[in-house]
Amino acid sequence: MTHVKLFLRTASVSILLMSSTASAIQVTTSTDENGTGTNCSLREAVQTINTQASFGGCVFTPGDAVIELGAATIQLSLNIGVSDRVQIRTPLAIGGQGTGQTFVERVGAFDDDIFFVNVDDPGAILFEGFTLSGSTGRFNSAIDFLAETGVELILRDMVFRDSVNETGAAFRIQGDGNSPVLLERVIFEDNVNFGSFAEGGGIDCSADESEFIPSLHLVDVIFRNNTVDAAGTAVGGGLSSVGCDLELENVTF
């Protein structure tokens, strides 16, 4: 059963702190690079933290878990075979300069989720301060989170925009892990999920009916002009939650 609460309890999700003593990896190019060149791309920065080793133009320092994006439009464009997506395998934080200054978008031959979060080690993942747009394809999302027990996901001050996917919401949560997911001050606008089994234009949270289910907590979230465009079993233009524990405070549809 999905539980919907229109009030806020003290959030159990822990906040991933950006320690002033820890270094951060600076993304220095808006071009999508994968092990080439002397600049540090977003894809290379994530891989550097995943592997705890320098990669491409990104230099690893022990303790690095923060990626800083500048005021730029960062384009993910590479078609690199089986998986084009940027895969997050370990707890980290990715922060931009604000939704009106930092943009991450899919372009060109790129055909996959933009970010795929599949973390086995307990900890928190934070996305903050940028606009994410343009995911497209079959079963794709801008952020696809595979819930695992002990892993927390935080989205703060974000915009999800202009995703058009066949059976894929802009933000998707799947799995049966007991994962807290917190969204604060997030906007979903102009996203389309089409196909006969489309669920959620903005958010799709799906979980097995078990004692270990994701908890989705939305605070100051806006859904604007999101649709599921299909006949049959398609449901939830803005939000679909099946089997997740859902809490909403000050959410506008």
Side-chain angles (χ1 to χ4, degrees), residues 59-111:
V59 177
F60 178 73
T61 300
D64 281 350
V66 176
I67 296 170
E68 291 187 0
L69 310 178
T73 298
I74 297 169
Q75 296 184 331
L76 296 173
S77 61
L78 290 180
N79 183 342
I80 55 178
V82 177
S83 178
D84 295 349
R85 59 199 179 186
V86 176
Q87 301 191 54
I88 295 175
R89 299 293 191 184
T90 190
L92 56 75
I94 301 176
Q97 305 303 307
T99 57
Q101 297 190 66
T102 303
F103 304 87
V104 177
E105 63 181 23
R106 181 216 65 84
V107 296
F110 186 104
D111 182 19

Side-chain angles (χ1 to χ4, degrees), residues 45 94 114 167 209:
I94 301 176
I114 296 179
T167 317
E209 293 289 341

Side-chain angles (χ1 to χ4, degrees), residues 176-234:
D176 58 2
N178 189 16
S179 296
V181 180
L182 172 65
L183 278 66
E184 292 185 309
R185 300 179 299 278
V186 178
I187 297 174
F188 294 87
E189 61 183 7
D190 299 326
N191 301 293
V192 178
N193 186 355
F194 67 95
S196 58
F197 296 98
E199 297 183 351
I203 298 177
D204 173 25
C205 187
S206 301
D208 296 334
E209 293 289 341
S210 71
E211 61 179 319
F212 301 108
I213 60 174
S215 62
L216 178 59
H217 187 172
L218 277 59
V219 183
D220 298 326
V221 173
I222 296 173
F223 296 87
R224 179 187 299 125
N225 197 35
N226 303 282
T227 61
V228 286
D229 184 12
T233 59

